[in-house]
Amino acid sequence: MDIAPTYDFIVVGAGSAGCAVAAGLIEAQSGSVLVVEAGPPDSGPLVKPPLGLVWLMGSKRDWRFRSSPQKALGGRRIRIPRGRMLGGSSSINSMVWFRGRRDDFDNWNVDGWRWVDVEPAFEALERAFRPARLADPHPLSEAVHAVLGNNGMGPPTPEYESSGVFHYNMHNGRRWSAADAFLRPAQRKGGLTVLTSRQVDRIAFSKGRASEIVFTDGSTLGARKGIVLSAGSIGSPEILLRSGVGPAADLAAAGIALTARSEQVGLNLHDHPTAGIHYVGDDAGYGATLRQIPLWAKAPFRYLFSGQGPIGSPTVEAGAFFNAREDGGPPDIQVHFIPFMMGWQDRLIVPGSGYFTDVCVCRPRSRGALRLVDGEVEIDLGLLNDPADLELLIAAFRRLRRIMDDAPFGARRGVEAFPGLQAVRTDDDIRRHILATCGTAFHPVGTLRMGTDDEAPVTPRLAVRGVEGLWVADASVMPQVTSANTNAPSMMIGLRAASMIAADTGGQPG
Ligand SMILES: Cc1cc2nc3c(=O)[nH]c(=O)nc-3n(C[C@H](O)[C@H](O)[C@H](O)COP(=O)(O)OP(=O)(O)OC[C@H]3O[C@@H](n4cnc5c(N)ncnc54)[C@H](O)[C@@H]3O)c2cc1C
């Protein structure tokens, strides 16, 4: 492949948002575009079959970040999987499709990003992705429709209490990532170069203007019109800090020359905290049992011919939204339902059949921070450091148990195996269980918050404050996480970023 020394735009990171940015810039005829991705192409055998995500996590296609010891969790470190290949986290995720609540965007309170502003971009995304109901849910997942109901056979929605089988960005039982929807079609149009397995270390500036990317091996490539950081909520702030844009004292301590002082770079890190329950029982979900040997023996053929069966399952098949304290307020909890016996006793697969369900705080109050310490990135998720999140999870855990007791699971019903009704009964027991086991829904956001105030690292037009020719387009710009899964909102940000950047650099808005 011919790599030119200079491009009009360089997009760093071919993830959910980066692929949308690149396609949008090509669509807007903004000039030549180079996309640089640290990870490999998305051609591995586990990437397209939905069940493959179980093995992708922890593989070389996952950044395998870990949080710093979490203060509220007794020093426990939390795993932070992030996709590391073309498509980024959209090539490793469960493909659950949600826009979020309308008032999530109104509450961002950022000009140009209210619901009326973002809705057309979600509609455009849905024309490109055609998210649809899982074709072949497990019978237990089908039964989840009845637990709260309220939405017919449609997916549950964070707008009101509801439950059911989720919608997914899959086509014929295969993953349809941001690379499928955006990157490859844009490559066919011409003007787009994609470079894989090249990690960007930092941005170099010339008279305050972002002019080059510097790779970890020290080599460089130039950008005439500008550079877009789409390296995700961990990668983008890390690159910015390495480039000297961040809190002055931290940069001085790290021996990095100051390019622009921006005290809030890396702050406001947050994610959806989750805690769950494992159920086991004969025939209570997919699992490693003698009875299921025929099912698993046929599974590869079934998947190859129809895209269905357990290999066509992204594990999370259904769920719900509810208000934990039933106080008449909007849903503040999302439930995921996984009809598989997995991820228990610190092992991926344990013998037996069962199912798992969890509660996630939709709009957490806790905040952490990402910093450079001794040249390495330190990721403090700040999980549950606001006690309100823990108390909400306790109420939600109690309601989840009641809902699961009432679910019409018939002969497939399992019994609660972990934490167990006897072991964990009182609020104090539940509190201890949550603190010992809680993780995240893998939706980190907020480290380069956009805002109209001067403290926000990024402007409402997604430009990095204090420098020229540098933008951020990914989940890091969300001031507050949306109330459900974050892939579609991240791609919405990417699509709108391309339009804004094209317009602000004299091209056609896409
Ligand atoms: C396991 C998992 C399951 C999930 N399930 C769902 C789900 O079902 N539904 C949903 O809506 N959301 C889900 N999410 C969240 C969703 O996928 C993310 O919020 C979304 O993909 C974030 O998009 P992004 O563009 O901000 O970052 P990413 O998609 O993570 O893209 C960042 C890209 O930048 C690259 N990069 C990083 N640093 C560098 C560097 N220095 N140089 C070059 N390239 C770099 C990365 O390799 C990556 O390709 C899940 C996430 C994970 C990890």
Side-chain angles (χ1 to χ4, degrees):
M1 188 201 305
D2 276 349
I3 303 297
T6 311
Y7 294 81
D8 287 314
F9 286 100
I10 297 180
V11 179
V12 181
S16 301
C19 292
V21 173
L25 289 173
I26 292 294
E27 183 72 31
Q29 300 183 341
S30 295
S32 58
V33 178
L34 171 72
V35 178
V36 179
E37 167 56 43
D42 53 349
S43 46
L46 294 172
V47 178
K48 293 302 168 192
L51 191 62
L53 71 92
V54 172
W55 293 276
L56 286 176
M57 279 196 278
S59 75
K60 67 169 188 186
R61 294 172 185 277
D62 174 1
W63 285 87
R64 291 175 284 175
F65 294 117
R66 286 182 82 208
S67 76
S68 61
Q70 295 296 280
K71 210 166 157 194
L73 308 183
R76 218 158 36 84
R77 288 171 182 263
I78 305 294
R79 70 179 173 145
I80 309 173
R82 300 279 88 201
R84 190 176 197 271
M85 67 184 118
L86 288 185
S89 297
S90 81
S91 289
I92 198 178
N93 70 12
S94 312
M95 296 168 281
V96 173
W97 189 273
F98 281 109
R99 296 174 172 189
R101 281 172 62 84
R102 292 167 188 194
D103 63 8
D104 286 338
F105 304 95
D106 292 338
N107 291 335
W108 282 359
N109 199 20
V110 178
D111 294 343
W113 292 92
R114 295 188 171 79
W115 175 250
V116 291
D117 305 307
V118 303
E119 187 184 14
F122 278 117
E123 286 169 353
L125 276 180
E126 286 163 12
R127 283 193 294 277
F129 277 93
R130 290 178 280 124
R133 189 178 195 268
L134 191 66
D136 178 35
H138 190 279
L140 283 165
S141 306
E142 290 279 12
V144 172
H145 269 297
V147 301
L148 291 168
N150 284 343
N151 226 17
M153 289 306 276
T157 163
E159 299 290 347
Y160 47 85
E161 292 209 338
S162 47
S163 64
V165 173
F166 288 159
H167 281 202
Y168 297 84
N169 47 296
M170 288 162 51
H171 285 182
N172 302 322
R174 287 168 64 80
R175 177 184 298 279
W176 191 250
S177 71
D180 297 312
F182 293 119
L183 205 65
R184 284 186 267 277
Q187 270 180 299
R188 288 194 285 273
K189 288 184 183 161
L192 175 63
T193 307
V194 179
L195 201 53
T196 50
S197 303
R198 296 296 305 274
Q199 186 167 335
V200 172
D201 179 61
R202 62 193 159 85
I203 307 299
F205 295 85
S206 166
K207 295 186 186 140
R209 186 173 186 84
S211 56
E212 289 182 324
I213 52 169
V214 183
F215 292 103
T216 45
D217 65 7
S219 59
T220 61
L221 286 173
R224 281 181 288 266
K225 294 187 180 174
I227 296 172
V228 186
L229 288 180
S230 294
S233 294
I234 311 296
S236 289
E238 182 180 358
I239 293 171
L240 216 46
L241 291 169
R242 291 192 191 285
S243 313
V245 180
D250 286 5
L251 292 177
I256 297 173
L258 188 70
T259 306
R261 182 176 177 166
S262 186
E263 293 297 321
Q264 292 196 6
V265 168
L267 304 190
N268 190 44
L269 171 60
H270 58 290
D271 199 334
H272 292 130
T274 79
I277 308 175
H278 291 269
Y279 295 83
V280 298
D282 292 343
D283 215 18
Y286 295 122
T289 65
L290 288 176
R291 198 191 290 197
Q292 290 191 28
I293 287 175
L295 179 143
W296 286 104
K298 283 186 223 145
F301 304 100
R302 194 164 167 216
Y303 179 69
L304 279 175
F305 289 112
S306 69
Q308 298 187 358
I311 298 177
S313 170
T315 70
V316 180
E317 292 196 354
F321 292 90
F322 66 65
N323 178 279
R325 299 189 177 95
E326 297 180 77
D327 61 11
D332 46 19
I333 293 294
Q334 180 177 8
V335 173
H336 295 103
F337 181 82
I338 298 181
F340 282 82
M341 176 90 171
M342 59 170 52
W344 184 31
Q345 297 172 337
D346 288 331
R347 281 154 64 196
L348 185 60
I349 295 168
V350 282
S353 81
Y355 48 92
F356 172 80
T357 182
D358 69 7
V359 278
C360 309
V361 176
C362 289
R363 292 172 296 283
R365 294 196 193 175
S366 303
R367 292 293 182 272
L370 180 148
R371 293 198 173 83
L372 274 186
V373 178
D374 298 330
E376 294 300 319
V377 69
E378 181 191 88
I379 311 167
D380 177 7
L381 288 168
L383 215 60
L384 302 188
N385 67 6
D386 187 320
D389 291 341
L390 177 57
E391 296 311 307
L392 189 65
L393 271 181
I394 294 170
F397 192 89
R398 285 201 173 283
R399 188 161 180 209
L400 180 66
R401 269 183 168 165
R402 292 197 298 278
I403 287 173
M404 285 293 123
D405 279 352
D406 293 344
F409 288 160
R412 296 181 186 272
R413 173 176 302 287
V415 293
E416 183 178 321
F418 183 76
L421 288 168
Q422 293 310 315
V424 170
R425 280 181 298 134
T426 66
D427 277 2
D428 278 346
D429 296 338
I430 297 175
R431 184 175 290 110
R432 274 193 293 276
H433 167 68
I434 291 172
L435 291 174
T437 61
C438 137
T440 78
F442 311 141
H443 302 153
V445 304
T447 43
L448 295 172
R449 164 182 82 85
M450 62 174 161
T452 39
D453 57 300
D454 290 344
E455 300 293 299
V458 171
T459 70
R461 303 289 293 176
L462 302 181
V464 175
R465 278 205 166 81
V467 294
E468 296 291 320
L470 185 61
W471 294 266
V472 182
D474 56 31
S476 67
V477 304
M478 293 187 203
Q480 159 86 40
V481 69
T482 50
S483 295
N485 312 63
T486 46
N487 189 39
S490 304
M491 294 192 290
M492 175 279 287
I493 290 167
L495 265 193
R496 302 198 70 234
S499 242
M500 290 180 177
I501 296 166
D504 293 354
T505 52
Q508 300 286 319

Tab-separated table of all heavy atoms in Angstrom, residues 142-187:
chain	number	residue	atom	x	y	z
A	142	GLU	N	-37.280	-14.962	25.187
A	142	GLU	CA	-38.632	-14.637	24.713
A	142	GLU	C	-39.539	-14.336	25.910
A	142	GLU	O	-40.353	-13.413	25.868
A	142	GLU	CB	-39.236	-15.830	23.939
A	142	GLU	CG	-38.610	-16.102	22.595
A	142	GLU	CD	-39.149	-15.195	21.489
A	142	GLU	OE1	-39.838	-14.204	21.802
A	142	GLU	OE2	-38.836	-15.485	20.320
A	143	ALA	N	-39.368	-15.126	26.972
A	143	ALA	CA	-40.246	-14.962	28.138
A	143	ALA	C	-40.002	-13.623	28.842
A	143	ALA	O	-40.880	-13.134	29.561
A	143	ALA	CB	-40.034	-16.119	29.110
A	144	VAL	N	-38.835	-13.022	28.618
A	144	VAL	CA	-38.538	-11.741	29.271
A	144	VAL	C	-39.502	-10.641	28.792
A	144	VAL	O	-39.777	-9.678	29.507
A	144	VAL	CB	-37.046	-11.347	29.067
A	144	VAL	CG1	-36.749	-9.943	29.553
A	144	VAL	CG2	-36.132	-12.347	29.779
A	145	HIS	N	-40.074	-10.821	27.584
A	145	HIS	CA	-41.074	-9.850	27.110
A	145	HIS	C	-42.185	-9.641	28.138
A	145	HIS	O	-42.709	-8.550	28.294
A	145	HIS	CB	-41.732	-10.348	25.809
A	145	HIS	CG	-41.033	-9.871	24.587
A	145	HIS	ND1	-40.933	-8.539	24.260
A	145	HIS	CD2	-40.401	-10.540	23.606
A	145	HIS	CE1	-40.260	-8.416	23.128
A	145	HIS	NE2	-39.916	-9.615	22.717
A	146	ALA	N	-42.541	-10.743	28.822
A	146	ALA	CA	-43.717	-10.679	29.697
A	146	ALA	C	-43.412	-10.086	31.066
A	146	ALA	O	-44.330	-9.723	31.788
A	146	ALA	CB	-44.293	-12.088	29.854
A	147	VAL	N	-42.118	-9.963	31.455
A	147	VAL	CA	-41.865	-9.607	32.855
A	147	VAL	C	-42.317	-8.186	33.194
A	147	VAL	O	-42.843	-7.938	34.262
A	147	VAL	CB	-40.397	-9.854	33.298
A	147	VAL	CG1	-40.008	-11.307	33.134
A	147	VAL	CG2	-39.411	-8.938	32.622
A	148	LEU	N	-42.119	-7.254	32.280
A	148	LEU	CA	-42.683	-5.919	32.474
A	148	LEU	C	-43.597	-5.537	31.326
A	148	LEU	O	-44.440	-4.646	31.469
A	148	LEU	CB	-41.557	-4.866	32.592
A	148	LEU	CG	-40.709	-4.932	33.856
A	148	LEU	CD1	-39.481	-4.054	33.714
A	148	LEU	CD2	-41.511	-4.501	35.070
A	149	GLY	N	-43.429	-6.206	30.171
A	149	GLY	CA	-44.290	-5.947	29.025
A	149	GLY	C	-44.168	-4.538	28.522
A	149	GLY	O	-43.066	-3.979	28.435
A	150	ASN	N	-45.289	-3.946	28.176
A	150	ASN	CA	-45.406	-2.519	27.823
A	150	ASN	C	-44.933	-2.158	26.438
A	150	ASN	O	-45.069	-1.009	26.051
A	150	ASN	CB	-44.636	-1.621	28.803
A	150	ASN	CG	-45.369	-1.475	30.100
A	150	ASN	OD1	-46.565	-1.779	30.144
A	150	ASN	ND2	-44.687	-1.029	31.116
A	151	ASN	N	-44.333	-3.082	25.704
A	151	ASN	CA	-43.830	-2.664	24.397
A	151	ASN	C	-44.119	-3.705	23.324
A	151	ASN	O	-43.367	-3.797	22.359
A	151	ASN	CB	-42.328	-2.371	24.485
A	151	ASN	CG	-41.987	-1.075	23.791
A	151	ASN	OD1	-42.880	-0.272	23.533
A	151	ASN	ND2	-40.738	-0.885	23.456
A	152	GLY	N	-45.204	-4.453	23.493
A	152	GLY	CA	-45.553	-5.470	22.501
A	152	GLY	C	-44.384	-6.398	22.255
A	152	GLY	O	-43.711	-6.818	23.187
A	153	MET	N	-44.115	-6.673	20.984
A	153	MET	CA	-42.953	-7.511	20.656
A	153	MET	C	-41.750	-6.627	20.336
A	153	MET	O	-40.711	-7.117	19.901
A	153	MET	CB	-43.261	-8.443	19.485
A	153	MET	CG	-44.231	-9.568	19.849
A	153	MET	SD	-43.675	-10.517	21.293
A	153	MET	CE	-42.550	-11.655	20.486
A	154	GLY	N	-41.887	-5.328	20.518
A	154	GLY	CA	-40.768	-4.418	20.261
A	154	GLY	C	-39.730	-4.514	21.370
A	154	GLY	O	-39.974	-5.146	22.407
A	155	PRO	N	-38.566	-3.897	21.159
A	155	PRO	CA	-37.541	-3.941	22.206
A	155	PRO	C	-37.972	-3.070	23.382
A	155	PRO	O	-38.801	-2.172	23.218
A	155	PRO	CB	-36.318	-3.335	21.507
A	155	PRO	CG	-36.888	-2.436	20.472
A	155	PRO	CD	-38.189	-3.049	20.025
A	156	PRO	N	-37.431	-3.322	24.562
A	156	PRO	CA	-37.717	-2.408	25.666
A	156	PRO	C	-37.120	-1.038	25.347
A	156	PRO	O	-36.258	-0.921	24.470
A	156	PRO	CB	-37.005	-3.055	26.852
A	156	PRO	CG	-35.939	-3.897	26.252
A	156	PRO	CD	-36.449	-4.356	24.921
A	157	THR	N	-37.583	-0.032	26.040
A	157	THR	CA	-37.049	1.310	25.797
A	157	THR	C	-36.763	2.000	27.127
A	157	THR	O	-37.532	1.829	28.086
A	157	THR	CB	-38.040	2.167	24.977
A	157	THR	OG1	-37.659	3.543	25.109
A	157	THR	CG2	-39.477	2.009	25.433
A	158	PRO	N	-35.676	2.777	27.175
A	158	PRO	CA	-35.384	3.507	28.417
A	158	PRO	C	-36.358	4.650	28.680
A	158	PRO	O	-36.303	5.277	29.739
A	158	PRO	CB	-33.965	4.031	28.187
A	158	PRO	CG	-33.770	4.061	26.714
A	158	PRO	CD	-34.614	2.953	26.166
A	159	GLU	N	-37.274	4.917	27.717
A	159	GLU	CA	-38.233	6.009	27.926
A	159	GLU	C	-39.258	5.646	29.005
A	159	GLU	O	-39.788	6.517	29.675
A	159	GLU	CB	-38.984	6.351	26.626
A	159	GLU	CG	-38.095	6.807	25.482
A	159	GLU	CD	-37.457	8.181	25.679
A	159	GLU	OE1	-37.882	8.918	26.585
A	159	GLU	OE2	-36.510	8.498	24.934
A	160	TYR	N	-39.592	4.339	29.141
A	160	TYR	CA	-40.552	3.921	30.173
A	160	TYR	C	-40.270	2.466	30.542
A	160	TYR	O	-39.530	1.770	29.842
A	160	TYR	CB	-42.001	4.109	29.702
A	160	TYR	CG	-42.297	3.580	28.321
A	160	TYR	CD1	-42.619	2.240	28.125
A	160	TYR	CD2	-42.259	4.416	27.210
A	160	TYR	CE1	-42.890	1.746	26.857
A	160	TYR	CE2	-42.530	3.934	25.938
A	160	TYR	CZ	-42.851	2.602	25.766
A	160	TYR	OH	-43.104	2.114	24.517
A	161	GLU	N	-40.887	2.030	31.650
A	161	GLU	CA	-40.653	0.645	32.100
A	161	GLU	C	-41.104	-0.323	31.020
A	161	GLU	O	-42.239	-0.228	30.526
A	161	GLU	CB	-41.412	0.380	33.392
A	161	GLU	CG	-40.870	1.162	34.555
A	161	GLU	CD	-41.077	0.459	35.890
A	161	GLU	OE1	-41.973	-0.399	35.984
A	161	GLU	OE2	-40.335	0.778	36.840
A	162	SER	N	-40.265	-1.241	30.659
A	162	SER	CA	-40.582	-2.156	29.568
A	162	SER	C	-39.537	-3.267	29.558
A	162	SER	O	-38.471	-3.132	30.173
A	162	SER	CB	-40.574	-1.416	28.226
A	162	SER	OG	-39.414	-0.597	28.112
A	163	SER	N	-39.862	-4.357	28.854
A	163	SER	CA	-38.920	-5.487	28.803
A	163	SER	C	-39.077	-6.218	27.490
A	163	SER	O	-40.088	-6.068	26.801
A	163	SER	CB	-39.193	-6.455	29.959
A	163	SER	OG	-40.483	-7.020	29.814
A	164	GLY	N	-38.080	-7.021	27.144
A	164	GLY	CA	-38.196	-7.847	25.944
A	164	GLY	C	-36.866	-8.149	25.301
A	164	GLY	O	-35.799	-7.811	25.840
A	165	VAL	N	-36.969	-8.801	24.136
A	165	VAL	CA	-35.774	-9.154	23.357
A	165	VAL	C	-35.216	-7.866	22.736
A	165	VAL	O	-35.977	-7.037	22.238
A	165	VAL	CB	-36.143	-10.188	22.265
A	165	VAL	CG1	-34.969	-10.445	21.335
A	165	VAL	CG2	-36.606	-11.497	22.918
A	166	PHE	N	-33.895	-7.710	22.779
A	166	PHE	CA	-33.259	-6.497	22.255
A	166	PHE	C	-33.178	-6.518	20.726
A	166	PHE	O	-33.361	-7.548	20.093
A	166	PHE	CB	-31.832	-6.374	22.798
A	166	PHE	CG	-31.726	-6.004	24.265
A	166	PHE	CD1	-30.556	-6.282	24.968
A	166	PHE	CD2	-32.758	-5.360	24.931
A	166	PHE	CE1	-30.424	-5.930	26.305
A	166	PHE	CE2	-32.631	-5.002	26.271
A	166	PHE	CZ	-31.462	-5.300	26.958
A	167	HIS	N	-32.862	-5.344	20.173
A	167	HIS	CA	-32.528	-5.224	18.745
A	167	HIS	C	-31.008	-5.122	18.603
A	167	HIS	O	-30.326	-4.635	19.510
A	167	HIS	CB	-33.214	-4.005	18.138
A	167	HIS	CG	-34.659	-4.254	17.816
A	167	HIS	ND1	-35.372	-3.523	16.904
A	167	HIS	CD2	-35.512	-5.193	18.284
A	167	HIS	CE1	-36.611	-4.002	16.823
A	167	HIS	NE2	-36.721	-5.001	17.662
A	168	TYR	N	-30.503	-5.573	17.434
A	168	TYR	CA	-29.048	-5.713	17.230
A	168	TYR	C	-28.635	-5.207	15.862
A	168	TYR	O	-29.416	-5.314	14.901
A	168	TYR	CB	-28.648	-7.208	17.326
A	168	TYR	CG	-28.916	-7.758	18.688
A	168	TYR	CD1	-30.186	-8.218	19.025
A	168	TYR	CD2	-27.921	-7.752	19.660
A	168	TYR	CE1	-30.457	-8.671	20.303
A	168	TYR	CE2	-28.195	-8.211	20.936
A	168	TYR	CZ	-29.461	-8.660	21.258
A	168	TYR	OH	-29.726	-9.084	22.525
A	169	ASN	N	-27.393	-4.761	15.754
A	169	ASN	CA	-26.848	-4.452	14.423
A	169	ASN	C	-26.107	-5.692	13.907
A	169	ASN	O	-24.892	-5.767	13.904
A	169	ASN	CB	-25.940	-3.207	14.453
A	169	ASN	CG	-24.928	-3.205	15.575
A	169	ASN	OD1	-25.283	-3.169	16.746
A	169	ASN	ND2	-23.662	-3.226	15.213
A	170	MET	N	-26.915	-6.670	13.489
A	170	MET	CA	-26.385	-7.889	12.867
A	170	MET	C	-27.078	-8.048	11.517
A	170	MET	O	-28.221	-7.627	11.367
A	170	MET	CB	-26.754	-9.120	13.725
A	170	MET	CG	-25.980	-9.203	15.001
A	170	MET	SD	-26.738	-10.291	16.237
A	170	MET	CE	-27.004	-11.781	15.339
A	171	HIS	N	-26.377	-8.669	10.555
A	171	HIS	CA	-27.020	-8.996	9.284
A	171	HIS	C	-26.865	-10.485	9.045
A	171	HIS	O	-25.737	-11.002	9.037
A	171	HIS	CB	-26.383	-8.220	8.124
A	171	HIS	CG	-26.785	-6.773	8.103
A	171	HIS	ND1	-26.371	-5.887	7.137
A	171	HIS	CD2	-27.560	-6.047	8.941
A	171	HIS	CE1	-26.866	-4.691	7.384
A	171	HIS	NE2	-27.584	-4.761	8.478
A	172	ASN	N	-27.968	-11.181	8.852
A	172	ASN	CA	-27.944	-12.637	8.624
A	172	ASN	C	-27.115	-13.364	9.668
A	172	ASN	O	-26.311	-14.235	9.345
A	172	ASN	CB	-27.391	-12.960	7.221
A	172	ASN	CG	-28.228	-12.292	6.148
A	172	ASN	OD1	-29.447	-12.226	6.287
A	172	ASN	ND2	-27.581	-11.773	5.113
A	173	GLY	N	-27.272	-12.969	10.905
A	173	GLY	CA	-26.591	-13.664	11.992
A	173	GLY	C	-25.121	-13.304	12.128
A	173	GLY	O	-24.411	-13.928	12.912
A	174	ARG	N	-24.650	-12.310	11.368
A	174	ARG	CA	-23.237	-11.913	11.463
A	174	ARG	C	-23.133	-10.480	11.976
A	174	ARG	O	-23.983	-9.650	11.696
A	174	ARG	CB	-22.566	-11.999	10.085
A	174	ARG	CG	-22.309	-13.428	9.626
A	174	ARG	CD	-21.931	-13.460	8.152
A	174	ARG	NE	-20.682	-12.782	7.846
A	174	ARG	CZ	-19.475	-13.303	8.028
A	174	ARG	NH1	-19.359	-14.517	8.509
A	174	ARG	NH2	-18.393	-12.635	7.707
A	175	ARG	N	-22.043	-10.228	12.697
A	175	ARG	CA	-21.769	-8.877	13.188
A	175	ARG	C	-21.721	-7.899	12.017
A	175	ARG	O	-21.099	-8.178	10.980
A	175	ARG	CB	-20.427	-8.877	13.920
A	175	ARG	CG	-19.984	-7.513	14.410
A	175	ARG	CD	-18.604	-7.587	15.048
A	175	ARG	NE	-18.590	-8.450	16.216
A	175	ARG	CZ	-18.997	-8.102	17.426
A	175	ARG	NH1	-19.452	-6.875	17.621
A	175	ARG	NH2	-18.957	-8.955	18.428
A	176	TRP	N	-22.363	-6.758	12.162
A	176	TRP	CA	-22.288	-5.686	11.173
A	176	TRP	C	-21.759	-4.463	11.913
A	176	TRP	O	-22.495	-3.761	12.592
A	176	TRP	CB	-23.688	-5.448	10.577
A	176	TRP	CG	-23.676	-4.553	9.375
A	176	TRP	CD1	-24.162	-3.290	9.307
A	176	TRP	CD2	-23.187	-4.872	8.056
A	176	TRP	NE1	-23.985	-2.785	8.045
A	176	TRP	CE2	-23.398	-3.724	7.254
A	176	TRP	CE3	-22.585	-5.987	7.498
A	176	TRP	CZ2	-23.018	-3.687	5.915
A	176	TRP	CZ3	-22.221	-5.938	6.168
A	176	TRP	CH2	-22.435	-4.805	5.395
A	177	SER	N	-20.442	-4.279	11.810
A	177	SER	CA	-19.765	-3.278	12.650
A	177	SER	C	-19.705	-1.924	11.948
A	177	SER	O	-20.117	-1.784	10.782
A	177	SER	CB	-18.333	-3.743	12.923
A	177	SER	OG	-17.580	-3.646	11.724
A	178	ALA	N	-19.103	-0.958	12.625
A	178	ALA	CA	-18.902	0.359	12.009
A	178	ALA	C	-17.973	0.241	10.798
A	178	ALA	O	-18.093	1.012	9.839
A	178	ALA	CB	-18.308	1.322	13.037
A	179	ALA	N	-17.052	-0.735	10.821
A	179	ALA	CA	-16.167	-0.925	9.659
A	179	ALA	C	-16.982	-1.439	8.466
A	179	ALA	O	-16.744	-1.038	7.323
A	179	ALA	CB	-15.050	-1.910	10.006
A	180	ASP	N	-17.962	-2.312	8.726
A	180	ASP	CA	-18.810	-2.823	7.631
A	180	ASP	C	-19.715	-1.720	7.081
A	180	ASP	O	-19.877	-1.579	5.874
A	180	ASP	CB	-19.705	-3.973	8.145
A	180	ASP	CG	-18.888	-5.164	8.611
A	180	ASP	OD1	-17.983	-5.574	7.865
A	180	ASP	OD2	-19.134	-5.672	9.710
A	181	ALA	N	-20.307	-0.975	7.991
A	181	ALA	CA	-21.313	0.011	7.562
A	181	ALA	C	-20.681	1.258	6.948
A	181	ALA	O	-21.260	1.859	6.047
A	181	ALA	CB	-22.191	0.408	8.749
A	182	PHE	N	-19.512	1.643	7.447
A	182	PHE	CA	-18.945	2.935	7.023
A	182	PHE	C	-17.615	2.824	6.286
A	182	PHE	O	-17.421	3.424	5.234
A	182	PHE	CB	-18.741	3.841	8.244
A	182	PHE	CG	-20.023	4.271	8.891
A	182	PHE	CD1	-20.298	3.944	10.206
A	182	PHE	CD2	-20.957	4.999	8.185
A	182	PHE	CE1	-21.487	4.339	10.800
A	182	PHE	CE2	-22.147	5.404	8.764
A	182	PHE	CZ	-22.410	5.060	10.080
A	183	LEU	N	-16.669	2.093	6.912
A	183	LEU	CA	-15.291	2.174	6.417
A	183	LEU	C	-15.132	1.553	5.029
A	183	LEU	O	-14.593	2.183	4.112
A	183	LEU	CB	-14.353	1.493	7.423
A	183	LEU	CG	-12.917	1.983	7.375
A	183	LEU	CD1	-12.817	3.438	7.792
A	183	LEU	CD2	-12.032	1.123	8.275
A	184	ARG	N	-15.617	0.314	4.882
A	184	ARG	CA	-15.400	-0.360	3.590
A	184	ARG	C	-16.168	0.324	2.451
A	184	ARG	O	-15.588	0.543	1.377
A	184	ARG	CB	-15.710	-1.850	3.721
A	184	ARG	CG	-14.558	-2.557	4.459
A	184	ARG	CD	-14.732	-4.053	4.503
A	184	ARG	NE	-15.404	-4.483	5.704
A	184	ARG	CZ	-14.790	-4.675	6.886
A	184	ARG	NH1	-13.502	-4.476	7.010
A	184	ARG	NH2	-15.464	-5.079	7.939
A	185	PRO	N	-17.447	0.713	2.667
A	185	PRO	CA	-18.116	1.455	1.578
A	185	PRO	C	-17.365	2.747	1.220
A	185	PRO	O	-17.237	3.094	0.042
A	185	PRO	CB	-19.506	1.760	2.153
A	185	PRO	CG	-19.725	0.699	3.186
A	185	PRO	CD	-18.375	0.385	3.751
A	186	ALA	N	-16.826	3.446	2.224
A	186	ALA	CA	-16.106	4.699	1.928
A	186	ALA	C	-14.809	4.398	1.183
A	186	ALA	O	-14.411	5.151	0.283
A	186	ALA	CB	-15.814	5.455	3.229
A	187	GLN	N	-14.157	3.287	1.522
A	187	GLN	CA	-12.913	2.912	0.819
A	187	GLN	C	-13.180	2.692	-0.662
A	187	GLN	O	-12.371	3.048	-1.516
A	187	GLN	CB	-12.323	1.631	1.425
A	187	GLN	CG	-11.352	1.886	2.554
A	187	GLN	CD	-10.799	0.593	3.107
A	187	GLN	OE1	-11.543	-0.245	3.610
A	187	GLN	NE2	-9.495	0.419	3.025
